[in-house]
Amino acid sequence: MKNTELTLGPCLFNWSEADWRDFYFKMADESDFDLIYIGEAVCSKRLPFRNNVLPDILERMEAAGKKVIISTLALVTTKPERKVLREQCEQDMWAVEANDLTAMAFLKDRKFVIGPYINIYNEATITSLAKRGAERFVMPPEVPAETIAQLIKAAPEPKYEMQVFGRLPLALSARCYHARLHNLHKDSCRFVCDQDPDGREVKSLTGQPFLAVNGIQTMSYGSQLLLEELPALAAAGVNAFRLSPHTGDMLGVARIFRSVMKDEMDAAEARAKIGELMPSHHFINGYSHGAPGMAQIEDALAL
């Protein structure tokens, strides 16, 4: 796994302006990620708070020699959101991760990343988007590892990235779950999603936690944790492993993944250590094995 990258995806949760800034300052100063994605992918109402501190974060990243990609909104529905998207795509300082196909109209003659919110399920789609400038594909979380391997074999030129840690982004809605939970309208939500900095769990009628909500976003309740699977994924051609930011010791999680990727720590030890660092997380790996996403497949080597 020597040539495989370790990346940090965009923060998907509504952290305070200060917490968001301090988190990325720490990532700039202390992490060794090969690539860091920064931007608001979930809710445009959070953008003003992000934009207040984004220049300082980007300056800190540049000073630290970090490679950065700007992540864009995954659900673009209004003229103001299209305006923001256009500005992000047409700036020439930073590469862009497109999370909505609306971005394609503004990315002509540009190299870019296809994010996990754009449905990529066949090699024809990959080839078509690669011709238009896509040089990296972050695979949707529900695509099994076997299918990803087949896609890479059929279209090997672009780079492929896969989320290996954190709650999985599953769907987006025009309605805000957090606002409705607090008997508020979306337009006057009071940003109540900030009360759940890792998302809010959703239980079934029988009391089983199985999803999480994050503003307008539906996520998995469990956190993806792929460790035993990493060698097989790298051998299949996955070029980068993505960690999704959560509260807790993300630097520690990153160090553990890096140790596994360098063959300095075995997967079992790494899993135990991450469990200690992130005790509130319930780990899953089902999707990568072609099983229900909420499952934990114990025979994880058999991809």
Side-chain angles (χ1 to χ4, degrees):
M1 290 184 280
K2 292 182 180 179
N3 297 322
T4 307
E5 298 174 339
L6 184 65
T7 73
L8 181 69
C11 176
L12 302 179
F13 306 104
N14 187 17
W15 294 354
S16 72
E17 186 177 302
D19 287 345
W20 199 75
R21 177 201 61 210
D22 293 347
F23 173 81
Y24 282 109
F25 276 7
K26 181 178 286 189
M27 294 303 112
D29 296 343
E30 301 180 40
S31 77
D32 72 338
F33 287 106
D34 298 293
L35 184 60
I36 296 177
Y37 295 81
I38 304 174
E40 179 56 52
V42 178
C43 180
S44 62
K45 293 188 68 176
R46 303 172 185 172
L47 281 170
F49 305 104
R50 305 293 176 250
N51 292 339
N52 285 342
V53 294
L54 184 58
D56 293 337
I57 291 172
L58 293 175
E59 182 179 351
R60 189 77 159 248
M61 290 285 174
E62 187 174 20
K66 293 293 191 293
K67 185 177 179 181
V68 169
I69 289 181
I70 300 298
S71 293
T72 65
L73 283 172
L75 183 63
V76 179
T77 60
T78 67
K79 287 184 178 179
E81 289 170 351
R82 288 197 298 272
K83 182 177 183 293
V84 169
L85 179 63
R86 181 169 192 157
E87 292 172 350
Q88 290 175 321
C89 292
E90 293 184 348
Q91 54 79 33
D92 56 8
M93 289 289 292
W94 314 96
V96 168
E97 177 187 61
N99 286 308
D100 186 300
L101 284 176
T102 306
M104 301 300 296
F106 311 127
L107 285 169
K108 297 177 181 178
D109 303 318
R110 291 281 305 274
K111 296 295 184 182
F112 57 92
V113 176
I114 290 290
Y117 298 91
I118 295 178
N119 296 331
I120 302 294
Y121 300 130
N122 61 73
E123 60 271 21
T125 301
I126 292 173
T127 300
S128 175
L129 291 172
K131 288 179 179 178
R132 299 188 61 172
E135 57 183 358
R136 179 187 292 252
F137 292 83
V138 185
M139 300 307 296
E142 70 272 20
V143 180
E146 182 179 358
T147 301
I148 293 175
Q150 294 171 354
L151 293 174
I152 294 172
K153 186 175 181 180
E157 291 303 318
K159 288 188 175 181
Y160 293 85
E161 186 169 331
M162 185 175 180
Q163 183 176 326
V164 296
F165 174 82
R167 279 183 161 164
L168 298 171
L170 301 178
L172 293 160
S173 170
R175 296 184 177 183
C176 178
Y177 304 114
H178 261 95
R180 183 169 182 173
L181 178 67
H182 291 270
N183 296 314
L184 297 168
H185 293 291
K186 180 181 178 183
D187 291 341
S188 56
C189 66
R190 303 179 190 171
F191 301 97
V192 290
C193 52
D194 67 356
Q195 298 178 19
D196 300 295
D198 286 317
R200 186 184 183 102
E201 71 175 46
V202 176
K203 294 182 179 179
S204 68
L205 292 176
T206 58
Q208 179 185 15
F210 75 115
L211 292 173
V213 293
N214 168 39
I216 66 170
Q217 184 177 52
T218 303
M219 310 184 78
S220 62
Y221 162 70
S223 289
Q224 177 100 298
L225 182 59
L226 304 183
L227 288 166
E228 293 84 357
E229 299 88 348
L230 297 185
L233 290 170
V238 176
N239 308 101
F241 298 133
R242 172 181 289 205
L243 311 186
S244 186
H246 287 69
T247 59
D249 189 356
M250 287 301 300
L251 285 174
V253 173
R255 284 191 289 267
I256 292 169
F257 267 92
R258 185 67 80 182
S259 295
V260 173
M261 292 165 66
K262 289 181 177 181
D263 295 324
E264 296 173 352
M265 184 184 299
D266 65 41
E269 181 183 358
R271 181 173 292 276
K273 287 183 177 295
I274 290 176
E276 293 173 359
L277 290 179
M278 298 291 190
S280 65
H281 287 238
H282 168 73
F283 297 120
I284 58 175
N285 64 3
Y287 276 142
S288 65
H289 294 269
M294 65 191 298
Q296 173 62 38
I297 307 300
E298 296 302 328
D299 188 12
L301 293 175
L303 279 174

